[in-house]
Amino acid sequence: MSGGGKTGLTATLNRGWWQTRKWLVLRRVSQLGILGLFLLGPLAGVRIIDGNLSSSLLLDTVPMTDPLLFLQMLVAGFLVPAGTAVLGAALVMGFYLLVGGRVFCSWVCPVNLVTDAAGWLRLRLDLHGGINLARSTRYWMLALVLLLALATGSLAYELVNPVSLLHRGIIFGLGSAAFVALALFLFDLFVARRGWCGHLCPMGAFYGLVGAVSPVRVRADQRAACDDCMECFVVCPEPQVIRPALKGAEAGRGPVILAGECTNCGRCIEVCPQEVFAFGLRYPNRERGQGSETRSSPGLSKGAAT
């Protein structure tokens, strides 16, 4: 396995700087560009998007509502049936059903900038250890968020939701959000690798469930060329999703990464010296030249590393 400082080096030498970082650069452009659109109103009076990631209005016409917030509203029992919140949640949900639920995490969420920075520094400093959290913990967190809304009849989680706090803080003034960002950075750096996004975040859990049926996927069609350098596992924020597609040929598993936890960040595509991975669709999920469709199993990620 390549060391942290050398990950992607062979791919860079083979294909050049841009080809081995284009998805990373485009993700940062997307994350910062979305933040910039929200900031245009308060800073320059140019109102393209008003609001925040929880609830916003595009071009003073198109509503957008965080589907998890909408679900909390339903559970809490104070949503007015029909209206802009319903339409906004449907539009956002439809988009992530199409492109992958956790595209929100890697291409939109401002917390990802913080946790990616911690992950990058942890790799460079070659830090190991910390607490071992089960990745299923985030689903328990999601259930807790909904139970909290049901029990209190309020959007209680939104008072402490790091995603909402950081996004509102960037737009309207950091304040306590800066401490939230620092706490998440230190937690991911010293306590648990990819601790928040990969193990605890209930929004990530929700979007992971949404993304389980999305057609846009990362494919490992060239998996026969894999030389076990393991660089894709090093850079992947959810490495447990790779193995079934990359190493599942003998078990009859197709080359498509089907797990909803995949964030479609594209880092595995970039760093692979053998160019095993590429973006594509979930169908067909079979080896090249194979006549029959490989059955998609919901249990593909079971037993994978955490």
Side-chain angles (χ1 to χ4, degrees):
M1 181 187 300
S2 300
K6 297 180 180 178
T7 304
L9 178 60
T10 305
T12 301
L13 292 173
N14 290 345
R15 306 201 301 277
W17 190 93
W18 171 247
Q19 288 299 324
T20 52
R21 289 169 178 80
K22 67 178 180 181
W23 297 119
L24 177 60
V25 171
L26 291 174
R27 281 200 302 120
R28 298 299 181 237
V29 169
S30 171
Q31 291 166 323
L32 297 175
I34 290 170
L35 282 174
L37 289 176
F38 278 105
L39 283 167
L40 277 177
L43 296 182
V46 179
R47 301 199 172 278
I48 296 176
I49 300 179
D50 281 321
N52 52 59
L53 286 180
S54 298
S55 179
S56 59
L57 193 61
L58 175 65
L59 299 175
D60 206 27
T61 303
V62 182
M64 291 183 288
T65 307
D66 169 21
L68 179 55
L69 175 70
F70 180 79
L71 187 56
Q72 291 178 73
M73 294 168 72
L74 284 178
V75 173
F78 61 82
L79 178 70
V80 177
T84 56
V86 178
L87 177 59
L91 290 174
V92 174
M93 189 79 168
F95 175 76
Y96 288 114
L97 279 170
L98 179 65
V99 302
R102 294 205 66 199
V103 164
F104 171 82
C105 303
S106 60
W107 290 77
V108 177
C109 182
V111 171
N112 178 260
L113 292 165
V114 176
T115 56
D116 266 7
W120 176 86
L121 186 58
R122 185 180 173 97
L123 198 61
R124 293 301 178 275
L125 296 177
D126 202 24
L127 297 178
H128 298 277
I131 62 175
N132 186 23
L133 295 167
R135 290 187 183 271
S136 60
T137 305
R138 53 189 158 190
Y139 296 102
W140 291 106
M141 291 283 287
L142 175 59
L144 183 62
V145 167
L146 298 179
L147 283 174
L148 194 60
L150 179 65
T152 65
S154 70
L155 305 179
Y157 175 67
E158 294 306 311
L159 297 175
V160 296
N161 183 351
V163 177
S164 302
L165 287 176
L166 185 57
H167 193 256
R168 286 196 296 265
I170 292 172
I171 296 174
F172 304 113
L174 276 175
S176 60
F179 293 99
V180 173
L182 179 61
L184 291 175
F185 179 83
L186 295 176
F187 179 73
D188 273 25
L189 181 60
F190 295 115
V191 180
R193 179 179 183 271
R194 303 287 183 181
W196 176 255
C197 296
H199 297 78
L200 295 176
C201 180
M203 289 189 72
F206 175 81
Y207 280 112
L209 295 175
V210 172
V213 296
S214 300
V216 178
R217 321 300 295 193
V218 174
R219 303 176 58 97
D221 287 310
Q222 306 301 323
R223 60 187 179 182
C226 176
D227 62 359
D228 295 320
C229 72
M230 302 296 285
E231 296 195 14
C232 55
F233 288 91
V234 172
V235 299
C236 181
E238 302 279 353
Q240 79 281 2
V241 308
I242 296 177
R243 189 173 298 280
L246 186 62
K247 300 296 182 182
E250 291 185 0
R253 292 170 173 168
V256 179
I257 296 179
L258 290 169
E261 290 83 0
C262 176
T263 67
N264 279 1
C265 69
R267 286 298 285 153
C268 59
I269 299 172
E270 295 172 321
V271 303
C272 178
Q274 306 302 322
E275 300 185 57
V276 167
F277 302 97
F279 281 121
L281 300 177
R282 67 184 302 135
Y283 300 109
N285 188 14
R286 59 174 180 253
E287 296 283 4
R288 288 187 172 183
Q290 184 177 339
S292 60
E293 187 81 8
T294 299
R295 182 172 60 89
S296 300
S297 168
L300 281 178
S301 63
K302 289 181 179 180
T306 59

